[in-house]
Amino acid sequence: MRIETLAVRAGRRPDPATGAVAPPIVLSTTFERAGDGSYPGGYVYSRTGNPNRGALESCLAALEGGEAAAALASGQAAALAVFLSLAPGDHVLLPEDAYHGTARLAREILVPWGLEATFADLTDLGAAERSLRPNTRLIWAETPSNPLLKVTDLAGLAGIAKGAGARLACDNTWATPILQRPLALGADLAVHAATKYIGGHSDLTLGIVVAKRDDAFFQRVRARQHTSGAVPSPFDCWLALRGAETLPVRMRAHSEGAQRVAEFLAAHPAAERVHYPGLPGHPGRETAMRQMSLPGGMVSFEVGGGAERALAVAAGCRLFTQATSLGGNESLIEHRASVEGSGTRTPPGLLRLSVGLEHPDDLIEDLKQALG
Ligand SMILES: *Cc1c(COP(=O)(O)O)cnc(C)c1O
């Protein structure tokens, strides 16, 4: 089946007890055993499994083309479950411009726990290869990257991982399976902050790990989900599954709007640099066109005059809301460096846009008046 159909149908069926077409939210923490001690519904206790979570996991596994998925309480919890499925002493390779939460996870929790971590420019496959060690067990990719929209060649990186006996995981939050399918490109795991586009309405926090194979490594991820207990609520799973239904339609509209906004900015003298893989001249454009069906809904640009001017432009927007996060229906603008704080690698004059579903002409008019 095609992805639009899977988005609406995978993981759903009318409720056998009532015939309800929209799935009921199951709040029960515990499930009755039959006389023979079995669990006829397949559920035992809500930390280890819940029907709303199960439905969401089936849907996301189908969208990414994986055998299994595990939903966790946030994108961070999902990433943590993957890293903690390695063993102390293992080496992981991460992008030098990884999402700042992922970089902090590595530096503040995983390295003290015993992992070795190297941050490298994974858009350069030679640099990736040179950063491998005999004990490298995982390469973590994120493409397009935050906030510079750098594009990493996933098929190339998958080849390097395979040659090294390591797994490749891709944080696919920005592209979503609608625009990019890492497992089909050779990755072993696709990881999401469903908080963003999958939820799509800025009203839930949830993470998902999708595995190409339901193998021993994924069983370790599952065990971390069950035992660490960072599981999402039934209601958040219900909301995320509802979000997934419209994901294909929304992603196309986000991308169409972002392309228009990026082209406007590229022609505006106050925007010194515009980062969007859909623009000619973007260094990752060719790779993006090969591995993504559309360039996506995120754009960033740099204004002269540093942080002060960038913050003034953000404050001058009337339609774009000045807030962090991304992937909602409403457009957001964010001065990224001040959110990331000390040690940030983000240029001080950079503003990041999450282009929502408003009419692109209204968004362009807003940026025009804010840029002056
Ligand atoms: C937001 C985000 C995360 C973390 O997700 P949370 O749900 O906030 O924990 C991870 N990766 C990327 C690319 C993100 O944008």
Side-chain angles (χ1 to χ4, degrees), residues 73-79 99 101-102 140 142 144 146 171-174 191-196 204-207 325-326 336 352:
S74 65
Q76 288 293 95
Y99 171 70
T102 311
W140 183 273
E142 184 187 325
N146 179 23
D171 182 334
N172 203 27
T173 298
W174 279 33
V191 184
H192 286 277
T195 311
K196 314 294 172 55
L204 66 93
T205 306
L206 195 143
S325 199
L326 58 118
R336 197 68 203 152
R352 190 184 81 177

Side-chain angles (χ1 to χ4, degrees), residues 93-161:
L93 187 55
L94 299 115
E96 60 182 4
D97 59 347
Y99 171 70
H100 75 129
T102 311
R104 285 186 67 175
L105 202 59
R107 292 200 174 98
E108 296 175 15
I109 295 181
L110 299 166
V111 169
W113 178 68
L115 285 186
E116 294 171 22
T118 302
F119 293 86
D121 178 8
L122 302 187
T123 65
D124 174 351
L125 294 180
E129 198 142 30
R130 286 190 298 279
S131 305
L132 293 171
R133 297 184 191 167
N135 56 339
T136 305
R137 293 288 171 267
L138 180 75
I139 303 180
W140 183 273
E142 184 187 325
T143 181
S145 75
N146 179 23
L148 289 174
L149 285 294
K150 289 193 190 164
V151 177
T152 299
D153 176 352
L154 287 174
L157 209 52
I160 289 173

Side-chain angles (χ1 to χ4, degrees), residues 148 269-275 300-304 310 347-351 371:
L148 289 174
E272 295 184 344
R273 268 178 294 279
V274 184
H275 307 284
S300 66
F301 66 102
E302 295 173 49
V303 294
L350 182 137
L351 289 165
L371 286 164

Side-chain angles (χ1 to χ4, degrees), residues 222-257:
R222 251 295 170 241
R224 273 129 198 87
Q225 176 200 36
H226 292 175
T227 305
S228 78
V231 293
S233 75
F235 184 50
D236 282 350
C237 293
W238 187 92
L239 284 173
L241 187 67
R242 159 183 283 213
E245 291 181 15
T246 52
L247 188 62
V249 186
R250 286 187 288 111
M251 290 315 294
R252 282 196 283 271
H254 283 299
S255 194
E256 199 179 300

